[in-house]
Amino acid sequence: MRALYTAATGMMAQELNVQVISNNIANVRTTGYKRQRVHFQDLLYEHFRRAGTQTSDQNTQVPAGTFVGSGVKTASTGRVMSQGNLTPTEKQYDIAIRGEGFFRIQMPDGRTAYSRDGSFDLDSQGRLVTRDGYQVQPGITVPNNATSVNINAQGTVEVNLPGQTAPQQLGQIQLTRFINKVGLESIGDNLFLETAGSGPAIDGLGGEEGFGTMQQNYLEEGNVQAVTELSSLIAAQRAYEMNSKVISAADQMMQSTTQIMR
């Protein structure tokens, strides 16, 4: 019976939905995390009678057709790239982006990745790096005798050195944006890669048109709303249960039909 397979597609779709929701909830405290949302599409239809079919020699037509769908499929699990809340950390190498843009991160294999996670630190050579030791681009190296570090909204990095009254400028952290940031590929570790769907990287500076600004001593929280995710989880569970009931009902109908035909 067709209903068995149709309801099965619904159960599989809601199972994936629950997996995505669970990942969102698991990352509710992940810095710079962008929640995912599942989008569904209906599957192909079998037409028994098409709308507009001629029913007589006088050109009368069927106003509405007869067709049955075959279930549902997952179209995408895109990310919602809305701004997360900014939280003060009191760490001088923590940087949050307010608005559009990603940090450029140099991967060990030479690729360039992009991130909203600005929880940076210094490595043994004084270079600004991520928690995994990947260098922030363009490279910023802080002298080991620096007494303080200041990063302004445009990403300019300045340090105060002993014996100098004026601060010394070390460089400027750049930002990158994309025409379709939802098309970025997630690779874990709060990192994204450019894809054909995202379009090419557009580099710029904080405060320029189309780019956000940076805020030192702050980090961007994930944009997961726990209450919303729990509501979505309940809805997914109910949809799964309804599809399972359809399978049970279809199975009982098949049993009844088999007994009648004996």
Side-chain angles (χ1 to χ4, degrees), residues 62-193:
V62 175
T66 304
F67 48 91
V68 178
S70 54
V72 64
K73 68 176 180 179
T74 303
S76 67
T77 55
R79 292 192 180 273
V80 179
M81 292 293 194
S82 59
Q83 176 79 48
N85 295 327
L86 302 189
T87 303
T89 64
E90 299 181 359
K91 294 190 63 178
Q92 64 179 352
Y93 297 113
D94 284 347
I95 311 170
I97 300 174
R98 186 189 297 274
E100 295 293 323
F102 293 83
F103 296 109
R104 290 170 47 201
I105 308 299
Q106 185 71 39
M107 300 289 287
D109 59 5
R111 294 181 298 173
T112 299
Y114 305 91
S115 178
R116 294 280 297 192
D117 182 2
S119 53
F120 303 137
D121 218 323
L122 300 182
D123 64 7
S124 59
Q125 301 178 45
R127 297 176 301 184
L128 192 66
V129 295
T130 67
R131 294 294 182 186
D132 292 314
Y134 305 152
Q135 190 170 358
V136 180
Q137 294 296 314
I140 301 292
T141 301
V142 179
N144 57 10
N145 61 340
T147 57
S148 64
V149 178
N150 179 64
I151 304 171
N152 65 16
Q154 290 70 43
T156 301
V157 182
E158 296 180 338
V159 296
N160 291 317
L161 300 175
Q164 297 185 8
T165 56
Q168 178 180 334
Q169 183 172 323
L170 300 180
Q172 191 167 14
I173 300 173
Q174 295 182 354
L175 295 179
T176 300
R177 63 183 179 89
F178 297 86
I179 296 176
N180 176 31
K181 55 188 176 182
V182 178
L184 292 169
E185 177 186 352
S186 303
I187 60 172
D189 298 327
N190 294 349
L191 298 174
F192 298 92
L193 292 179

Side-chain angles (χ1 to χ4, degrees), residues 34-50:
K34 301 302 177 183
R35 68 184 181 90
Q36 290 179 278
R37 181 178 179 183
V38 182
H39 298 273
F40 299 109
Q41 289 180 344
D42 50 353
L43 292 174
L44 295 175
Y45 288 81
E46 181 178 355
H47 290 260
F48 299 97
R49 195 180 193 188
R50 292 185 178 275

Side-chain angles (χ1 to χ4, degrees), residues 214-237:
M214 293 172 237
Q215 192 158 350
Q216 187 182 14
N217 305 321
Y218 282 79
L219 287 178
E220 180 187 10
E221 295 180 352
N223 62 355
V224 177
Q225 299 293 331
V227 174
T228 302
E229 296 301 324
L230 290 175
S231 299
S232 299
L233 179 61
I234 293 172
Q237 183 180 6

